[in-house]
Amino acid sequence: MASAQWPCLILALFSVLVASGFPRSHARLLEKRSLLEGEVNGIDVYSTKISCKVTSRFAHNVVTTRAVNRADTAKEVSFDVELPKTAFITNFTLTIDGVTYPGNVKEKEVAKKQYEKAVSQGKTAGLVKASGRKLEKFTVSVNVAAGSKITFELTYEELLKRHKGKYEMYLKVQPKQLVKHFEIEADIFEPQGISTLDAEASFITNDLLGSALTKSFSGKKGHVSFKPSLDQQRSCPTCTESLLNGDFTITYDVNRESPANVQIVNGYFVHFFAPQGLPTVPKNVVFVIDISGSMHGRKMEQTKDALLKILDDVKEEDYLNFILFSGDVITWKDNLVQATPENIQEARTFVRNIQDQGMTNINDGLLRGISMLNKAREEHRVPERSTSIIIMLTDGDANTGESRPPKIQENVRNAIGGKFPLYNLGFGDNLNFNFLESMALENHGIARRIYEDSDANLQLQGFYEEVANPLLTSVEVEYPENAILDLTKNTYQHFYDGSEIVVAGRLVDKDMNNFKADVKGHGAINDLTFTEEVDMMEMEKALQKQDYIFGNYIERLWAYLTIEQLLEKRKNALGDEKENLTAQALDLSLKYHFVTPLTSMVVTKPEDNENQMAIADKPGEGPVDVVPPSMAYLNSYQSPLTPYYYVDGDPHFIIQVPEKDDAICFNIDEEPGTVLSLIEDPITGFTVNGQIIGDKRGSPNSETRKTYFGKLGIANTQMDFWIEVTTEKITLWNAAAQSTFSWLDTVTVTQDGLSVTINRKKNIVVSFGDGVTFVVVLHQVWKKHPVHQDFLGFYVVDSHRMSAQTHGLLGQFFHPFDFKVSDIHSGSDPAKPHATMVVKNHRLTVTRGSQKDYRKDVSIGTKVDCWFVHNNGQGLIDGVHSDYIVPDLF
Ligand SMILES: *[C@@H]1O[C@H](CO)[C@@H](O)[C@H](O)[C@H]1NC(C)=O
Ligand SMILES: *[C@@H]1O[C@H](CO)[C@@H](O)[C@H](O)[C@H]1NC(C)=O
């Protein structure tokens, strides 16, 4: 039912061309062009895919377009997508020649400053603006170097609302040129089962497209695919123009055997409610119609036409009246009258004779209608079990009588007193729609725009149909007390046939055994309570069987609904309350990556992180000490297929020896600030050095202090490439160019066989072709931890392309070596047996221990058993540990 029109959304895209830090010949001639001109100018859009996944009405749509600049100069490429106004953009990424720039959702003010900066610097920028009735347009233009490939990927999500018995998904199709691979693919999953499914394109009849369009459904799954070949896209057999231009609409409904459906996943639930087969509650309708001079002409004719059609549909048990307002107020009858055939006949004559005239007195028109409804109720002129509705239509702003919007709102609110809903229809553009919407919302109704067009009468009539059949009034959805948190709106004045009530929330106890919900409402004949009970075990089983299309869809659906309702409430809030609602909506928008009116998506050079969200730290992620193994675990460790080497924690080095199916470990204790050589390969040119940091206490006692790696330098002088990783940021240098990324980014940079992937707040994977792969793991510690601080772990995952001359604390072990362990005996700690190890011609006393591998899971880690070599690895490493101290990181 929401008709909210989102204000303009801003997407800022800038610094793209300088972001990579890799020198490229972007400084070519800029030449404005758009995809409109087709391939002619060298831009080949060779693929467009719209992929829609709908799970329980929640739609996740991804639009991907790929293009290549075949011209020999840089070209500007634009990407336009029209998406529903009710949708939230959740992601946008740009990939230029393999380098991906992800979008980040930021608070609007912050994003706006960056956007303005980008625009003032002449950088490309995109934005979203209203476009047509149901859609808004997302546009972005990027300058693409000659020969470069670009991929745009836009993701948006929305909750499909049920109107007149079906869910509708609109996709605007407008490729503007023939596209080799054009595809729309929709997968729908509905736990209640799909009862109908259809898809059609406004630009062509389904027959003509023949094999290009397929649609099918069975049980819980539905599928729609639209894949026109190049020839099928042509507007005529020899044309190069595309006939794909218009709406592609998918409609469906689900089985209604049960009035409700509850789904629970990961502690979030959603409750859909749409009972069938109930009698319609009789309604008392007052139409308050603007007949001021501005309605003159087509608008007046269309309004009359719609009212006449509505009169055909009014049920005999309903009561109605017409109130016309201009400078004055005219009523058809003094009181509401029943819709008997005689009265309907008389009403038709009245409507036909309506004449436009004068000014616009919205206040008096509405107040007259409201008092008439109130009086009818008080004087028992209307049935006890009936419901009241007031529908107001205007095409302009109040300009006579009480014309101050806040005062009108106050008068109307006081007069209605929450007893029935007010629906405001705004005809055309020449009016203050915010005022109409705000007034409707605070009186439990909605506002709808009627677009001035040849079908305005149908729009009016269509609105009436939506509210024509109330099946329940005063609907309340109740859950057991203290079992539910963060509930979305759960009271509704009406449930209209063909619509659906959706309530979502969070369970206090994720592991509760059964879930119960009551929906209470007044029907035409009696009061009803629908009880829905869910056996959690069964639900879990059912969910396990289904491969849900995306796992956290209920949580996202909940977030979507909550944000939508907070934004709606915010429209009528003031002062502190407004700030509170804004803060809540903003928090959720940022958390769930939704571009709402409070946020923007920014695609940017990732080094600018001063305005990023704060890092949320969980306690308990500190470094883990050597854990004593139980003897039973001694040989239980499954060795991986390839050897690996890493250093993590207080620096604990671990060397896995696959031939032995065992591992050796040692610690290095050095002063904070010391830089150690981990890998050095004179042949391939790789070096990796790490700098030690201390803990927060700064204790000089090497027995008790903790040290970690706080900074790592990975370099290849031959490739002219350096990466510096700290716990704050990642800096890349390639020749003279520098790029900086934050740990809050998720980005992949690829260049000449090198690939660096930053996985937000987790790790960085650095690969040099096939044969050398390092992983740097970020350990984030609770910021207020008294002792520990953030640190890094370094893992060599693949080293097979490194030379036999590789050295360093880890590198020296890349070549096969042997060791023997004998004389295992228990020491002072029975859990840590001692043994004798012969390695590199030394005889050492070693102790069994275990360390953790954090590559897969940074908070828990995987246990790795090892033989611990004491005294900074003395005897195991070549020379002494101080031989590995180097002056600086590179
Ligand atoms: C955004 O899209 C990119 C590319 O598909 C993906 O790697 C990334 O995880 C997405 N980000 C979010 C927040 O979903
Ligand atoms: C908003 O107000 C509620 C209760 O009045 C409070 O619990 C909540 O913390 C506030 N939220 C914000 C973001 O200020």
Side-chain angles (χ1 to χ4, degrees):
M1 303 271 288
S3 65
Q5 186 176 7
W6 304 123
C8 175
L9 312 176
I10 297 173
L11 177 136
L13 167 74
F14 56 100
S15 301
V16 161
L17 302 180
V18 293
S20 77
F22 301 122
R24 279 166 193 281
S25 46
H26 282 304
R28 304 257 180 96
L29 187 68
L30 297 193
E31 193 184 311
K32 259 271 186 198
R33 73 174 307 285
S34 96
L35 295 183
L36 257 168
E37 299 148 48
E39 244 166 299
V40 198
N41 263 346
I43 298 291
D44 178 8
V45 176
Y46 58 95
S47 159
T48 290
K49 177 161 184 176
I50 306 176
S51 152
C52 316
K53 293 183 186 310
V54 184
T55 306
S56 293
R57 299 58 155 168
F58 197 62
H60 177 89
N61 297 345
V62 183
V63 183
T64 311
T65 286
R66 295 172 203 279
V68 56
N69 179 4
R70 299 204 193 281
D72 52 13
T73 53
K75 299 276 184 183
E76 194 165 274
V77 180
S78 329
F79 171 70
D80 296 342
V81 174
E82 290 188 46
L83 57 144
K85 285 174 182 162
T86 46
F88 293 144
I89 291 173
T90 63
N91 201 356
F92 176 68
T93 61
L94 248 185
T95 304
I96 304 175
D97 287 336
V99 183
T100 297
Y101 303 92
N104 286 305
V105 173
K106 297 199 175 182
E107 185 174 354
K108 179 146 280 169
E109 285 312 303
V110 172
K112 212 169 129 202
K113 273 187 214 130
Q114 298 179 331
Y115 172 79
E116 279 160 5
K117 195 170 115 202
V119 171
S120 73
Q121 291 171 350
K123 303 269 165 52
T124 50
L127 72 159
V128 181
K129 42 191 173 189
S131 161
R133 296 181 187 175
K134 291 185 170 154
L135 302 167
E136 55 201 7
K137 191 168 187 168
F138 170 92
T139 305
V140 62
S141 301
V142 177
N143 195 47
V144 178
S148 285
K149 280 192 173 178
I150 184 159
T151 303
F152 299 93
E153 187 185 287
L154 178 76
T155 309
Y156 63 90
E157 293 179 342
E158 74 173 315
L159 180 64
L160 303 178
K161 295 201 168 74
R162 190 164 181 257
H163 283 298
K164 298 188 211 166
K166 57 193 177 191
Y167 307 98
E168 249 169 345
M169 185 154 72
Y170 286 95
L171 302 167
K172 184 78 169 188
V173 174
Q174 204 171 11
K176 298 178 188 169
Q177 68 180 69
L178 302 177
V179 179
K180 198 166 166 208
H181 302 287
F182 183 91
E183 186 179 356
I184 295 174
E185 196 79 47
D187 284 299
I188 300 167
F189 179 85
E190 286 293 345
Q192 285 157 284
I194 294 173
S195 61
T196 60
L197 175 107
D198 198 9
E200 54 192 37
S202 65
F203 41 89
I204 192 159
T205 63
N206 289 349
D207 296 352
L208 278 176
L209 277 171
S211 58
L213 177 68
T214 61
K215 44 195 178 184
S216 63
F217 67 96
S218 151
K220 299 178 180 183
K221 289 183 179 158
H223 183 78
V224 174
S225 160
F226 176 55
K227 238 190 250 187
S229 67
L230 273 179
D231 283 344
Q232 284 170 318
Q233 292 176 40
R234 290 182 208 282
S235 53
C236 76
T238 54
C239 294
T240 53
E241 244 167 59
S242 177
L243 62 71
L244 308 187
N245 184 359
D247 293 335
F248 188 86
T249 315
I250 299 174
T251 52
Y252 74 94
D253 199 18
V254 306
N255 289 326
R256 301 276 161 203
E257 281 126 35
S258 151
N261 179 258
V262 173
Q263 289 163 55
I264 307 173
V265 173
N266 292 338
Y268 284 85
F269 76 90
V270 61
H271 183 172
F272 299 104
F273 178 74
Q276 303 295 290
L278 297 176
T280 301
V281 178
K283 46 185 198 308
N284 315 310
V285 193
V286 171
F287 295 94
V288 180
I289 307 293
D290 182 347
I291 57 160
S292 63
S294 58
M295 288 286 289
H296 181 76
R298 185 165 81 158
K299 278 196 268 186
M300 197 74 247
E301 291 314 309
Q302 288 176 321
T303 303
K304 288 193 206 175
D305 184 49
L307 291 175
L308 290 172
K309 294 265 169 40
I310 289 169
L311 283 172
D312 292 344
D313 292 345
V314 172
K315 295 186 183 61
E316 195 164 346
E317 69 263 30
D318 289 351
Y319 281 67
L320 79 160
N321 203 350
F322 289 100
I323 293 177
L324 310 179
F325 67 91
S326 52
D328 303 316
V329 177
I330 302 167
T331 61
W332 170 45
K333 297 278 181 190
D334 291 340
N335 287 301
L336 281 128
V337 295
Q338 197 180 348
T340 58
E342 304 77 53
N343 282 339
I344 291 292
Q345 199 47 43
E346 201 182 313
R348 284 197 186 101
T349 309
F350 175 78
V351 167
R352 284 195 195 102
N353 290 327
I354 293 175
Q355 300 282 332
D356 61 89
Q357 53 175 358
M359 312 279 279
T360 309
N361 189 341
I362 292 179
N363 186 68
D364 289 357
L366 275 174
L367 292 184
R368 184 75 65 88
I370 295 163
S371 81
M372 202 174 275
L373 281 167
N374 282 336
K375 201 166 117 211
R377 183 68 76 193
E378 280 156 21
E379 295 175 358
H380 305 283
R381 290 170 183 275
V382 291
E384 198 57 35
R385 277 193 178 272
S386 65
T387 187
S388 301
I389 292 173
I390 185 159
I391 299 175
M392 194 268 284
L393 171 83
T394 180
D395 77 331
D397 297 335
N399 59 16
T400 186
E402 178 55 74
S403 60
R404 293 166 298 175
K407 190 69 193 164
I408 300 175
Q409 274 185 250
E410 185 189 326
N411 292 343
V412 167
R413 191 170 56 231
N414 291 339
I416 293 183
K419 292 192 288 286
F420 48 83
L422 164 68
Y423 297 107
N424 285 332
L425 304 177
F427 201 162
D429 291 329
N430 198 13
L431 45 76
N432 181 350
F433 190 76
N434 285 343
F435 157 62
L436 296 183
E437 183 173 42
S438 168
M439 180 158 61
L441 287 174
E442 67 183 358
N443 293 293
H444 305 285
I446 58 164
R448 191 63 69 78
R449 264 187 197 284
I450 303 296
Y451 294 88
E452 251 186 281
D453 210 334
S454 55
D455 68 344
N457 49 345
L458 297 177
Q459 297 174 50
L460 274 166
Q461 218 186 313
F463 175 78
Y464 180 77
E465 280 170 28
E466 281 179 42
V467 298
N469 296 302
L471 300 185
L472 290 172
T473 67
S474 307
V475 183
E476 261 180 65
V477 190
E478 293 177 353
Y479 301 94
E481 242 170 87
N482 305 326
I484 301 298
L485 290 170
D486 301 332
L487 198 61
T488 60
K489 184 176 170 195
N490 67 329
T491 58
Y492 289 83
Q493 281 201 330
H494 289 113
F495 166 73
Y496 293 110
D497 196 17
S499 72
E500 182 174 60
I501 287 175
V502 184
V503 184
R506 208 150 62 78
L507 305 184
V508 172
D509 175 14
K510 261 178 145 181
D511 303 321
M512 65 199 276
N513 293 325
N514 66 17
F515 177 94
K516 186 167 162 289
D518 288 331
V519 185
K520 295 184 176 159
H522 304 300
I525 300 160
N526 36 34
D527 293 349
L528 299 114
T529 300
F530 297 86
T531 299
E532 182 71 11
E533 263 187 279
V534 179
D535 183 318
M536 299 289 275
M537 298 288 277
E538 269 173 29
M539 161 89 55
E540 227 165 81
K541 264 192 235 148
L543 291 183
Q544 274 164 5
K545 274 194 227 138
Q546 304 301 338
D547 47 339
Y548 267 68
I549 297 171
F550 48 111
N552 64 345
Y553 73 96
I554 295 184
E555 184 174 346
R556 295 194 67 81
L557 188 164
W558 164 83
Y560 174 100
L561 257 189
T562 306
I563 293 170
E564 190 181 56
Q565 293 175 1
L566 286 168
L567 292 173
E568 208 161 78
K569 255 199 223 162
R570 180 175 168 267
K571 286 189 181 138
N572 279 320
L574 293 169
D576 283 353
E577 197 199 350
K578 184 164 188 144
E579 274 178 29
N580 183 305
L581 293 168
T582 306
Q584 288 182 52
L586 176 63
D587 270 7
L588 286 174
S589 305
L590 292 173
K591 179 166 180 209
Y592 290 94
H593 227 246
F594 284 129
V595 178
T596 66
L598 304 174
T599 53
S600 301
M601 175 83 68
V602 181
V603 179
T604 173
K605 188 176 172 181
E607 77 186 8
D608 179 15
N609 76 351
E610 62 189 15
N611 294 314
Q612 301 260 23
M613 275 182 286
I615 298 172
D617 294 297
K618 285 201 304 282
E621 288 186 5
V624 178
D625 292 322
V626 171
V627 179
S630 73
M631 291 304 278
Y633 272 101
L634 262 182
N635 293 309
S636 66
Y637 175 66
Q638 297 289 311
S639 71
L641 291 172
T642 49
Y644 65 91
Y645 319 90
Y646 69 82
V647 53
D648 211 336
D650 185 19
H652 306 306
F653 288 76
I654 184 146
I655 314 297
Q656 198 249 349
V657 187
E659 292 86 351
K660 292 280 175 189
D661 196 13
D662 209 336
I664 304 178
C665 44
F666 60 93
N667 292 353
I668 299 287
D669 185 49
E670 259 304 343
E671 294 295 320
T674 308
V675 180
L676 296 170
S677 163
L678 306 180
I679 295 171
E680 192 189 351
D681 184 358
I683 307 299
T684 59
F686 284 110
T687 61
V688 180
N689 297 326
Q691 185 170 41
I692 304 274
I693 53 167
D695 60 31
K696 286 183 183 157
R697 292 172 304 196
S699 157
N701 181 352
S702 71
E703 289 298 310
T704 56
R705 81 169 163 219
K706 298 265 178 203
T707 51
Y708 325 101
F709 279 117
K711 209 186 245 188
L712 289 166
I714 302 172
N716 189 311
T717 44
Q718 293 172 11
M719 292 171 73
D720 221 9
F721 191 86
W722 291 266
I723 307 173
E724 183 185 282
V725 185
T726 70
T727 55
E728 314 281 321
K729 62 179 183 178
I730 299 103
T731 314
L732 271 64
W733 290 269
N734 188 226
Q738 174 189 332
S739 342
T740 307
F741 302 93
S742 133
W743 275 106
L744 295 175
D745 293 300
T746 293
V747 64
T748 298
V749 181
T750 52
Q751 165 97 0
D752 297 337
L754 164 84
S755 133
V756 179
T757 300
I758 302 169
N759 294 305
R760 183 183 154 87
K761 301 212 283 189
K762 282 196 190 98
N763 58 38
I764 304 171
V765 182
V766 183
S767 295
F768 299 85
D770 169 33
V772 178
T773 300
F774 306 135
V775 177
V776 179
V777 172
L778 175 67
H779 291 270
Q780 282 190 318
V781 179
W782 180 39
K783 282 271 174 284
K784 291 189 180 143
H785 195 289
V787 178
H788 301 311
Q789 53 180 326
D790 294 355
F791 67 99
L792 304 170
F794 177 75
Y795 295 75
V796 179
V797 179
D798 186 357
S799 59
H800 81 260
R801 246 191 53 211
M802 304 266 240
S803 83
Q805 292 179 44
T806 307
H807 214 263
L809 285 166
L810 290 172
Q812 64 186 288
F813 299 105
F814 291 0
H815 0 284
F817 75 103
D818 199 9
F819 69 91
K820 281 199 171 58
V821 175
S822 58
D823 183 29
I824 302 175
H825 56 276
S826 53
S828 50
D829 181 347
K832 294 180 178 180
H834 294 307
T836 302
M837 176 185 284
V838 177
V839 61
K840 292 184 176 175
N841 296 324
H842 296 111
R843 201 178 181 81
L844 311 171
T845 298
V846 293
T847 306
R848 194 64 181 168
S850 82
Q851 303 203 339
K852 286 206 166 183
D853 179 343
Y854 292 100
R855 253 175 317 159
K856 288 218 178 62
D857 183 337
V858 76
S859 55
I860 305 169
T862 311
K863 205 163 79 149
V864 178
D865 293 319
C866 58
W867 291 108
F868 183 76
V869 179
H870 299 265
N871 300 327
N872 293 312
Q874 200 169 346
L876 169 71
I877 58 173
D878 297 336
V880 293
H881 85 277
S882 54
D883 296 345
Y884 297 86
I885 296 177
V886 290
D888 45 46
L889 217 50
F890 293 115

